[in-house]
Structures are given as structure tokens and as C-alpha cells.
Amino acid sequence: MAPKTDIEIARDAQKLPIGEVAATLGIPWEDLIPYGHDKAKLSADYIAGLKDRPRGKLILVTAVNPTPAGEGKTTTTVGLGDGLRAIGKKATVCIREASLGPCFGLKGGAAGGGHAQVVPMEEMNLHFTGDFHAITSAHNLLAAMIDNHIHWDNALDIDPRRVTWRRVMDMNDRALRQVVTSLGGPANGTPRESGFDITVASEVMAILCLATDLADLQRRLGDIIIGYRRDRTPVHARDLQADGAMTVLLQQAMQPNLVQTLENTPAFVHGGPFANIAHGCNSVIATDTALRLSDYVVTEAGFGADLGAEKFMNIKCRKAGLAPDAVVIVATVRALKMNGGVAKADLGGENVAAVTSGCANLARHIENVKKFGVPVIVGINHFVTDTEAELSAVQAFCRQFGVEAVVNHHWARGSAGITGMAEKVVALAEGGARNFSPIYPDDMSLFDKMDTVAREIYRADGVVADERVRAQLRAWEEAGHRSLPVCMAKTPYSFTADPTRGGAPTGFTIPVREVRLSAGAGFVVAICGDIMTMPGLPRQPAAERIRLDADGNIEGLF
Ligand SMILES: Nc1ncnc2c1ncn2[C@@H]1O[C@H](COP(=O)(O)OP(=O)(O)O)[C@@H](O)[C@H]1O
Ligand SMILES: O=COP(=O)(O)O
Ligand SMILES: [Mg+2]
């Protein structure tokens, strides 16, 4: 009999009413905003009442450089949360919401997999509680107000050639990357070049993920720089009086979403994925709320540790005053084989030599995470295609490298497959070894921050950028933005900017082709190599296999 698919397992879940899930964290029913029987948002007042409580222990789940399918960070985050509860700990899971882009594109959903999933998986992977639609609308309202202002009297003297604020849509659509707006004559406004990014890459998404409450959200929205006047001075969203309406659109989206795992572990699902073109972490408000309500919080950061974990440390932790007490680096035999030079099509066959060679990628991530002063453990996410020889090779490498590695079976067995690692993670988190610090100080120059990430994390010989980019960085420093952290937008498949160079390459530089100031979110985005902020669909999009069956049930979501 074929193994059950993710969606079949999710559909068989024995869910508790969301009020009972909330009650396990001591959240009263009246402080929930229910969305059906199995989803709810937390009220802003309840969250504000938690701020003086002590925080529990924070565990970050990251990974080696992944295959395009992903190596099981979300699956391990969910499994570890279940595993911690199985050994008697008060644990909560904090993961990001899913984007429709990868859902209907290549990667699939973001609810985990197998017997380590968040439910209701279909709703979470589709419209969920509407947060992404709210973010898209708020972003595009600002865009519409910019063009409207220019169309009428342009009292702010916005230079139509220097509007930096684009539009967004939560879909992979390469056709929208570069567009000309307002064609069709004067009644349609002033034509100008622009384009669409995927909603996850919106600064509004980043602001929602970093804001601490609605007042902070509106302040940050008002700080958004939408473009420049002819005299090169910046125009902010508040100059257009857009921040109030944007905040109204985002009022509900700002509240974290509470759901549950297949084993009824509380799960806060909030904020956007994609740590390649965004910072890709669960929202600060959700993580902090969970920490005030739990002894252990397990959260994730997107893609490999060179992207998600780096941004979790240098952006989210720095800004929110957080610090992980332990870090789990997820490794899989298939990802290590790929990093050992095996082509994607050949990852199914045993290849111990390639696994061992690919461990150089794991080694670099271990060294990198330790640079932040946090203890590390390796979680080998077992796949049925793994052979004993390959698994032994990874464990032997980790022993020789001086790091604990545990083979976990949570995908196949849920919490029963990961309690061993849960015990070890507790010991690590309680061991007091944490001595966290970001990898660069606030007062370092913006270019040097990018160069530091490139050299220390990617092991590059540095960043290369043309004078236009360097001059833009200097201008932002002179305008008072020097202290901001940087958000490197780069391929997730390599430490380099070349997605075909897996493993642990050396002798390369990181080309920064464009920089963007997210003055509201409070970071500078460095767009490296050919990375796109609006992905395209693959040759055979997953959408072709997604449909309703005769009973109206969804098929093809994974
Ligand atoms: N141990 C496993 N065996 C088989 N499939 C797995 C396993 N772990 C994860 N998966 C599947 O791999 C894909 C990526 O898992 P996910 O947790 O989303 O990875 P990430 O969060 O690192 O991108 C999902 O479709 C998931 O169901
Ligand atoms: O930001 C990307 O998230 P995943 O690595 O979970 O796909
Ligand atoms: Mg994931």
C-alpha cells in the first residue's frame, strides 16, 4: 500500500478545538479571535499583557544548503516541538506562513511533512487567515497613492523616474518583473517603469515580521521611502498620508495565528518565508509571545544557515533582543550528496564518498553558527532512501568534527521519532553555553557589513560592487542609515552567488548588483548575482497537479 501523502495524513489529524490548544498555553478563550474551529489569532491586548513575563528557551532550526525540495527544517521544527512535549516540556512551535508562489510553483507548502505537520495544512498553504492578501493590499495601496499623487498636482515633487516602490503579488510571475505603468494616455496617469515583486519580498512583509505592536507597525510603515524628489531628497509613505490606511489594512494581519501540529502542539504561524530575498523568519511578535507562554520555543529560518540563520541572528535577534539557546542544523543524506557533487537526478543511489565530501558544506555551517556564540547540534533528517553506510558516514564526520549528530525519524513517526534529540536539545539549551553576539556591530559601514557576511559566512574573498552601488550606500549613511543591518539576497543553493557551486567553495567574490533601503523595516537589502525578487514558475508548475476531487477535496498540495 502506497504511503499516505502529506495531505492525506493532515486530513486524518485528530485536531483539538483551537480554544483547547490555547488553553494548554493558558490563553483564555476571550483573548482569541477565532477563524473557524481550528485557527485563531491572539488579541493585541492579551499580547501586551505578557510583556513582563520571563521568556522561555529559544531553539532555532536551520539547515545545510538545500536541494530545491528543501531538507526538512519546517518538518524538524514541528517534529522537535512535538518531541519536546512528548518528554514533558511546555513547548510551542513558531513557523512562517506559506506563499502561494512555491505552493503552485516548485517547492510546495510550508506546513512540514509526513507525521510532523501543522494543521489545517490545506488552509495554511492557501489563504490561511488572509495575512498575505492584507500585506499585498497594503503594499499596493501605497503604490496606487504614489501614482495618484503624481497624476494630480504632485505637490511633493516626486520624480517619476526615481520612484523605488514597486508593486507585489503573491505568485511566481516572471512576466511582471519589469513593466511600464499608466499607458493609454493622460487619463491613466504618468507612464513610468516599474515592476512587481512577490509579496514575501515586500518591505511591508518585513515590517510586519519585525514590528512589536500596531503603533510600531504604523511608525515603520510611515518610515518607508517610496522614492526621491528631483532634488534627491527622500519621500516617505507618511508624506503621502498612506501609513494610517495601510495600518488599518494590516490590523488583523499583525496578530499572530495560532494553530496546532498533528500531535496538538501549539503552533504560531506568522510572517513570510524566503530567506533568500527576505529575512525569512517567524514574526517577532509571534516568537516573543510564544517565549512568554512556553518553556521552549522551536522556530525556523529559511533555507540554509548562510541565509536564514544569518538573518535570524543579525537582523531578528539584534532588533528584538532575542538570542537562541541552541541551534539545530538539519542535514540530509540527499543534500550532502548534492553538495558532494551528485546531480539531482542521481541523489537516490548510495554514494558514501559524495556524502562524506558534501559534509564540508555541513562543517562550514557548523563553524558559522558557532561564530554567533550559540551551541549547535546536527539533526539528520532520515529519508527512507538513506542507507546505513551513508548515515554512518555523516555521524562519523560529525564525531570527528566534534559536534553531536542525531538521526531523527519524525517524518515517519512523529514525536516518537525525535525524543532522543529533544532530550539533547534541552541539555544544550539549559547548559548555559550561550554567549550570543551578532557578527558585525551597528556602527560598521553598510558595505563593510555586507563584506563581513560574505567573508565570515560565505567564505568569499569579499563583496564586489560598482561605484553606483557604493555611492548609494554612502549616501544612505550620510542620510542617517549607517547603523542598519544588511539583508543579503542570494541563491540558497550555494555559499557563492552561483547556484551550481555547492559544497564549500573558496576563491570567489559576491557581486552586489543592486541595493534597496528598507527604511521602515530597518535594513538594507543587497541583491547578489542573478537572484530575482519575483520568481518564475518552473516548466511543470505544481499547479498542474492541484485540483479538487469528486468530493470537493483538494488534491496535489504538498
Ligand atoms: N524525512 C523525510 N522524508 C521524506 N520527505 C520529507 C522528509 N522531511 C521532509 N520531507 C518533505 O520534504 C519537503 C521539504 O520539507 P520542509 O520541512 O518543508 O523543508 P524546509 O522547511 O527545509 O524547506 C516537504 O515536502 C516534506 O514533506
Ligand atoms: O525561506 C525558505 O524557507 P524554506 O527553506 O522553509 O523553504
Ligand atoms: Mg520550510
Side-chain angles (χ1 to χ4, degrees):
M1 183 178 167
K4 282 188 174 182
T5 64
D6 288 351
I7 202 165
E8 287 166 339
I9 294 169
R11 207 164 275 151
D12 290 346
Q14 300 303 306
K15 288 181 286 188
L16 293 176
I18 198 61
E20 289 183 33
V21 177
T24 65
L25 295 177
I27 305 168
W29 175 257
E30 56 271 17
D31 287 305
L32 294 178
I33 305 155
Y35 283 67
H37 304 291
D38 54 9
K39 303 179 294 298
K41 283 180 174 281
L42 263 59
S43 73
D45 290 345
Y46 178 74
I47 289 172
L50 300 174
K51 65 183 185 320
D52 296 328
R53 286 199 193 181
R55 286 173 168 158
K57 299 290 187 185
L58 180 58
I59 297 135
L60 171 68
V61 177
T62 182
V64 296
N65 286 103
T67 67
E71 301 322 305
K73 280 185 308 300
T74 306
T75 303
T76 299
T77 301
V78 173
L80 181 55
D82 289 336
L84 287 165
R85 284 179 79 243
I87 63 171
K89 302 301 180 185
K90 190 176 182 186
T92 299
V93 162
C94 286
I95 62 174
R96 290 111 6 108
E97 300 180 52
S99 163
L100 296 177
C103 248
F104 289 85
L106 175 72
K107 170 95 179 9
H115 294 274
Q117 292 187 62
V118 163
V119 287
M121 170 268 217
E122 301 106 305
E123 293 175 66
M124 195 204 134
N125 282 329
L126 293 173
H127 305 300
F128 200 27
T129 55
D131 295 348
F132 279 33
H133 298 309
I135 291 162
T136 301
S137 299
H139 184 115
N140 293 340
L141 169 65
L142 179 54
M145 290 177 75
I146 293 164
D147 282 309
N148 184 59
H149 182 85
I150 293 169
H151 175 68
W152 293 110
D153 53 12
N154 197 6
L156 290 168
D157 188 28
I158 299 170
D159 184 341
R161 303 163 304 173
R162 290 189 170 80
V163 173
T164 52
W165 192 252
R166 293 160 52 94
R167 286 167 165 85
V168 297
M169 186 171 78
D170 189 28
M171 197 56 71
N172 291 356
D173 189 350
R174 60 173 61 81
L176 294 178
R177 283 173 181 159
Q178 295 296 332
V179 300
V180 176
T181 57
S182 299
L183 295 179
N188 294 345
T190 306
R192 62 182 183 85
E193 279 195 59
S194 187
F196 283 72
D197 295 325
I198 193 164
T199 296
V200 176
S202 164
E203 185 182 352
V204 175
M205 174 69 81
I207 287 171
L208 183 132
C209 288
L210 293 169
T212 52
D213 57 28
L214 283 174
D216 187 37
L217 177 76
Q218 177 155 358
R219 177 186 63 78
R220 289 169 178 273
L221 292 171
D223 287 345
I224 290 172
I225 290 175
I226 62 95
Y228 298 86
R229 298 179 180 85
R230 294 176 197 281
D231 67 4
R232 302 292 201 282
T233 55
V235 178
H236 295 86
R238 68 167 56 84
D239 299 329
L240 288 153
Q241 302 171 72
D243 51 312
M246 292 171 77
T247 303
V248 167
L249 282 169
L250 294 166
Q251 182 180 19
Q252 291 294 359
M254 182 64 198
Q255 304 314 119
N257 304 297
L258 177 65
V259 287
Q260 62 194 292
T261 71
L262 291 169
E263 296 186 26
N264 314 122
T265 300
F268 286 107
V269 183
H270 199 226
F274 291 24
N276 55 346
I277 54 175
H279 71 286
C281 298
N282 172 261
S283 68
V284 163
I285 192 169
T287 302
D288 188 65
T289 298
L291 284 167
R292 312 280 183 182
L293 294 169
S294 321
D295 296 330
Y296 296 90
V297 170
V298 190
T299 193
E300 61 174 359
F303 292 121
D306 55 320
L307 284 173
E310 185 271 312
K311 294 164 182 178
F312 179 88
M313 310 286 191
N314 280 323
I315 297 176
K316 178 175 175 180
C317 289
R318 180 198 306 262
K319 286 178 170 296
L322 296 171
D325 296 285
V327 176
V328 175
I329 299 180
V330 174
T332 62
V333 163
R334 72 180 185 187
L336 293 176
K337 265 189 271 196
M338 185 193 75
N339 280 290
V342 174
K344 203 170 74 166
D346 304 328
L347 292 176
E350 179 176 84
N351 190 331
V352 175
V355 169
T356 302
S357 168
C359 282
N361 182 271
L362 172 59
R364 187 174 284 185
H365 287 297
I366 294 166
E367 290 167 343
N368 287 350
V369 171
K370 286 184 173 177
K371 289 182 178 180
F372 291 95
V374 290
V376 175
I377 185 170
V378 171
I380 302 168
N381 180 17
H382 179 268
F383 278 66
V384 295
T385 48
D386 298 346
T387 68
E388 278 313 310
E390 291 170 329
L391 291 165
S392 301
V394 184
Q395 289 177 296
F397 173 83
C398 291
R399 269 194 306 277
Q400 175 259 330
F401 204 71
V403 66
E404 183 110 45
V406 183
V407 180
N408 296 311
H409 298 266
H410 48 291
W411 180 85
R413 296 165 38 207
S415 60
I418 198 168
T419 49
M421 189 169 86
E423 297 282 4
K424 292 177 184 296
V425 165
V426 165
L428 213 49
E430 300 293 350
R434 185 189 85 184
N435 181 23
F436 173 74
S437 67
I439 206 163
Y440 52 73
D442 290 348
D443 64 358
M444 182 181 276
S445 77
L446 295 173
F447 182 86
D448 287 349
K449 285 169 181 161
M450 294 173 190
D451 200 58
T452 299
V453 172
R455 291 174 185 277
E456 291 297 323
I457 302 294
Y458 308 157
R459 307 299 166 77
D461 297 329
V463 159
V464 291
D466 63 24
E467 181 48 28
R468 175 183 51 81
V469 167
R470 287 173 174 266
Q472 178 61 83
L473 294 174
R474 286 195 297 271
W476 286 335
E477 288 174 0
E478 284 151 24
H481 302 292
R482 177 187 175 93
S483 67
L484 297 185
V486 294
C487 180
M488 305 292 279
K490 179 183 74 62
T491 176
Y493 305 122
S494 170
F495 280 108
T496 75
D498 175 352
T500 64
R501 290 189 67 187
T506 54
F508 63 94
T509 54
I510 295 289
V512 172
R513 75 168 199 266
E514 180 190 348
V515 285
R516 295 181 184 176
L517 172 58
S518 295
F523 56 65
V524 171
V525 179
I527 299 182
C528 307
D530 299 328
I531 195 78
M532 295 289 175
T533 49
M534 168 53 91
L537 286 173
R539 188 180 297 275
Q540 271 92 36
E544 294 176 357
R545 301 181 294 280
I546 296 172
R547 58 179 56 82
L548 293 180
D549 67 14
D551 302 323
N553 294 314
I554 297 169
E555 286 181 341
L557 272 186
F558 62 96

